[in-house]
Amino acid sequence: MKILAPFLLAVQVVAADVTLVENNRTEHVIYHAVDAPETAKLAAKELQRVIQRATGSELSITNDAAAAPAIRIVSSSHLPHDGFEIRCEGKNIIIAGNDDLTATKLDAWFVPGHGTLYGAQDYLERFVGVRWLFPGELGEDVPHLDVLRVALPEPVRGAPDFAVRSLAYVGESDKGTPQQPKSVVLDWMKRQRLTNALHSFVTGYGHSWDDYLTPADMEAHPEWKSSNGEAVRNGKVKFFCTTAPGLVETFTKRVIEILDRYPTREMASISPTDGGGFCQCERCAKLITTDPHGKPNHVLAILTFYQQVAGIIQRERPGRRLGGFVYYNYQYPPPEAPTLPDNLSLCWAPLNYYGYGLLKPLYRAEFTATMDRWSKITPHLFYHNYSTWMRSFHGAPLPVSLDILQRELPAAAKHHAWGARMVGSAAWGVNAPINYIIAKQMWNAQLDVSATLDEWLQRAYGPGWQHMRTLYDELDAKMLAHKEAQSPVYKGSQYEVNEDVMKSIYAPLFPALEQHYQQTLAQCATDTQRQRLAMFGHNLTQLHFALRKAKLIPDDAKSIFHRDDTAFAKFLKDMESTFSLYRDDHGIDHGPIWKGEWSAP
């Protein structure tokens, strides 16, 4: 989190303790202007709701500017983007925030601000003690308070380390269920101050070449086809020669058509198709270099293409921004890079580091220097990684990997990355701590991740939390050993919880997982703690069944997680309305443990 200079208004700021609620009584109200932004109004409702849960007292919401004493929600453009300040003025508590929704001048990099909402959330975490552990009412941990007193000897100020903060694959774009709609996930994301909870199109880096060129273009211009790989597959353009005469102009024309069709879309992607079919004709071959691991590197060809397209867009549509991946066989920076237009952001998506790849010694050693080089090539670096994610369908709790968390987002913030998009997990029952910590880190990259994990476990599971900490530490150690022994040569199967990973990590560790679970359960002090731990247990039930069916563990009916086929089928049906297990648009049952690389049915 950025440390802010003092925010000064022409008011006398009095350092004082303010009592908001005592013995179910309050004289305070919550004020916002009639024309306040919607997120400022949401801030008022969140303050009202959580304070009432904590104290039993409801503070009314008013638009009367003369009402006092009050928690006053005030928008101010003097604060940094998404920034806030909390201070006392007599008995009034002021929550000021930057809520600028539109740019005052042409600015391709403007992002709407919601500082009052984030200030209100900071207030509730800091002074009321709420923690939003995971989506839904069960995930909201609110302490009971007989007295709510706010001590503010000096103002509290905050602003994010990244202008754009996105967490993906946590259920935010799935269909959801009537019992657990995706709006519940989005509400949690708002409370974690994540940009993509409010602005899903604020960035655009997805594989997009087939959005602009058509098979008819390839037929009309066979000279545009890539010399390597398919030009068209399943009716979509896949690859083309980026140096072919006339191609850049046609491609850019189509990008402009999309920008004009969607004038409110904040960003358009010009990223290549996923895969490796880049052209190697005589012109393109001159742009192919070698990456640090001796493999062909197409990055110079891609950056040159980006430069040309973005240059035309900057001239023809000033103020519109573009995004482009640097990824796969163009993930390493070239020795010399072209100068890029200011309307272009590069999204570094280091494929080698996916699926805990940053635990491999070779990649750990190169990470910071590679980040530094990319930050010098683009002033609008965006960091995107699946670093603590693996494709996992069978209830395996993923390691938190404090080693990676302490390494990557702090480095991105140090190198002034414009934003970050990290991949979480929709298996909230076991992977909520990862989602929570990453979300917090995108606001404050210097977060003490170990202490945050401890607090999450204590708040979620109560007195027996240290057994769960031991469980996650053992998972971390197992994954570290697995990755250090793995070849540094990238394979898609290396970021999947497949048979190899199940044999190496989860089958030998399962007895310890069950023991830690039972020890924690024995010490849970409340029904709420037991219910949260049960969500973890749901995943261990799924994992036990999958391991047993794959004959990776004995068919031990004594395990508390054992289910026969009939009982397991009923269990899965019962889980359909919960956040416990991994789910996507195909549901929660993805078949047995697989070998090698996952192939969707």
Side-chain angles (χ1 to χ4, degrees):
M1 184 172 69
K2 293 176 182 175
I3 299 173
L4 305 182
F7 166 52
L8 300 176
L9 291 177
V11 295
Q12 182 180 7
V13 179
V14 180
D17 290 357
V18 177
T19 300
L20 269 80
V21 180
E22 188 167 13
N23 298 324
N24 290 325
R25 296 174 62 87
T26 182
E27 59 180 352
H28 279 74
V29 297
I30 301 169
Y31 163 80
H32 66 69
V34 174
D35 59 350
E38 290 303 312
T39 49
K41 295 175 182 177
L42 176 59
K45 292 176 182 177
E46 284 285 89
L47 287 164
Q48 181 187 58
R49 183 185 64 81
V50 176
I51 290 173
Q52 184 174 22
R53 276 201 69 184
T55 68
S57 295
E58 180 177 280
L59 279 65
S60 61
I61 297 174
T62 180
N63 305 131
D64 180 2
I71 300 176
R72 302 180 62 80
I73 299 171
V74 182
S75 300
S76 173
S77 297
H78 296 286
L79 289 162
H81 170 252
D82 277 346
F84 62 82
E85 179 180 274
I86 306 170
R87 65 182 188 274
C88 286
E89 294 177 8
K91 286 189 174 183
N92 294 318
I93 296 171
I94 312 300
I95 300 177
N98 186 319
D99 289 332
D100 292 350
L101 298 177
T102 57
T104 56
K105 60 182 180 180
L106 193 66
D107 180 4
W109 301 103
F110 175 81
V111 177
H114 304 288
T116 53
L117 177 60
Y118 303 146
Q121 289 159 345
D122 186 273
Y123 174 92
L124 290 171
E125 289 181 319
R126 186 183 299 269
F127 297 113
V128 181
V130 65
R131 295 294 183 270
W132 292 287
L133 303 173
F134 53 84
E137 185 176 350
L138 185 61
E140 184 173 75
D141 194 63
V142 184
H144 172 75
L145 301 174
D146 291 323
V147 178
L148 175 54
R149 185 171 290 118
V150 176
L152 272 171
E154 58 184 28
V156 172
R157 305 180 182 94
D161 281 328
F162 302 103
V164 178
R165 307 166 301 281
S166 296
L167 184 64
Y169 289 22
V170 294
E172 80 288 355
S173 58
D174 295 340
K175 294 177 182 177
T177 67
Q179 297 85 356
Q180 300 286 5
K182 73 175 183 180
S183 61
V184 178
V185 176
L186 291 172
D187 287 343
W188 180 86
M189 293 171 65
K190 290 173 190 174
R191 290 164 182 150
Q192 301 302 336
R193 313 174 203 178
L194 294 167
T195 311
N196 65 324
L198 293 161
H199 303 282
S200 56
F201 291 106
V202 74
T203 61
Y205 300 100
H207 303 291
S208 64
W209 277 5
D210 60 358
D211 290 342
Y212 305 115
L213 296 184
T214 68
D217 293 324
M218 295 295 107
E219 290 302 314
H221 297 278
E223 72 277 11
W224 289 0
K225 294 182 180 181
S226 170
S227 67
N228 176 48
E230 296 174 279
V232 176
R233 184 193 311 154
N234 298 325
K236 296 281 190 177
V237 170
K238 293 298 177 183
F239 296 100
F240 47 75
C241 174
T242 59
T243 64
L247 182 135
V248 164
E249 289 75 14
T250 299
F251 185 95
T252 306
K253 178 183 176 184
R254 303 285 172 73
V255 176
I256 290 173
E257 290 171 359
I258 292 291
L259 291 172
D260 291 347
R261 190 179 309 157
Y262 302 103
T264 60
R265 181 177 292 180
E266 291 97 333
M267 194 174 202
S269 173
I270 55 173
S271 298
T273 305
D274 202 358
F278 293 126
C279 185
Q280 298 180 23
C281 72
E282 185 176 350
R283 293 185 305 272
C284 291
K286 295 177 181 177
L287 300 175
I288 300 173
T289 59
T290 303
D291 76 13
H293 308 294
K295 293 186 174 182
N297 189 0
H298 295 267
V299 68
L300 190 55
I302 299 305
L303 291 182
T304 301
F305 173 76
Y306 288 168
Q307 178 197 46
Q308 293 169 347
V309 173
I312 298 172
I313 298 290
Q314 188 173 51
R315 182 179 69 246
E316 299 294 330
R317 295 296 184 272
R320 304 300 294 273
R321 61 177 176 257
L322 302 176
F325 273 142
V326 281
Y327 161 80
Y328 186 33
N329 54 1
Y330 54 108
Q331 66 184 296
Y332 288 98
E336 298 292 333
T339 301
L340 301 176
D342 187 64
N343 63 338
L344 174 69
S345 169
L346 296 182
C347 176
W348 183 35
L351 186 63
N352 284 346
Y353 309 158
Y354 284 16
Y356 300 90
L358 268 175
L359 295 177
K360 298 181 180 182
L362 181 66
Y363 296 147
R364 278 205 302 260
E366 72 181 22
F367 173 71
T368 302
T370 308
M371 173 81 76
D372 182 68
R373 177 66 181 135
W374 277 124
S375 72
K376 289 179 169 62
I377 291 172
T378 173
H380 309 295
L381 178 64
F382 194 86
Y383 184 68
H384 169 51
N385 209 340
Y386 292 68
S387 47
T388 52
W389 175 91
M390 298 181 93
R391 184 175 284 110
S392 177
F393 299 148
H394 299 102
L398 296 177
V400 172
S401 191
L402 297 177
D403 181 286
I404 291 176
L405 295 179
Q406 289 165 347
R407 186 182 306 274
E408 64 176 343
L409 284 175
K414 180 181 178 181
H415 288 89
H416 308 291
W418 177 61
R421 180 182 186 264
M422 308 303 291
V423 174
S425 168
W428 285 95
V430 284
N431 298 324
I434 304 175
N435 296 340
Y436 180 88
I437 294 171
I438 291 173
K440 292 291 185 189
Q441 269 196 300
M442 283 193 279
W443 181 272
N444 175 15
Q446 303 309 316
L447 183 78
D448 184 332
V449 293
S450 181
T452 302
L453 175 60
D454 284 349
E455 186 197 47
W456 192 98
L457 295 172
Q458 290 176 58
R459 298 291 291 262
Y461 305 134
W465 70 272
Q466 288 179 314
H467 299 296
M468 298 302 287
R469 175 59 195 257
T470 301
L471 181 154
Y472 279 107
D473 287 345
E474 289 174 357
L475 280 171
D476 274 13
K478 280 282 190 181
M479 184 60 77
L480 176 62
H482 179 75
K483 286 296 173 181
E484 286 185 335
Q486 200 172 60
S487 167
V489 177
Y490 169 79
K491 293 181 181 177
S493 60
Q494 292 181 358
Y495 62 75
E496 301 187 348
V497 182
N498 53 20
E499 185 182 72
D500 177 52
V501 173
M502 289 290 195
K503 284 181 179 178
S504 173
I505 297 175
Y506 293 99
L509 200 56
F510 192 87
L513 298 178
E514 183 165 358
Q515 181 183 31
H516 293 314
Y517 176 90
Q518 290 185 293
Q519 290 170 327
T520 307
L521 179 61
Q523 293 182 254
C524 284
T526 67
D527 286 341
T528 297
Q529 291 165 4
R530 283 184 281 272
Q531 289 173 42
R532 292 172 183 155
L533 186 63
M535 293 176 65
F536 195 100
H538 296 155
N539 284 267
L540 293 188
T541 297
Q542 188 182 34
L543 179 60
H544 184 273
F545 186 85
L547 290 170
R548 184 169 59 83
K549 285 295 183 179
K551 301 188 185 306
L552 297 179
I553 60 173
D555 188 356
D556 179 11
K558 295 180 181 179
S559 169
I560 64 170
F561 300 112
H562 184 278
R563 302 289 186 278
D564 62 24
D565 290 3
T566 301
F568 186 72
K570 181 181 183 303
F571 163 79
L572 285 183
K573 187 168 183 60
D574 292 343
M575 289 295 103
E576 288 177 356
S577 61
T578 75
F579 280 127
S580 293
L581 306 184
Y582 171 82
R583 72 162 53 251
D584 57 25
D585 289 343
H586 299 289
I588 57 178
D589 185 2
H590 293 77
I593 295 169
W594 67 94
K595 296 182 180 182
E597 190 169 351
W598 165 255
S599 178

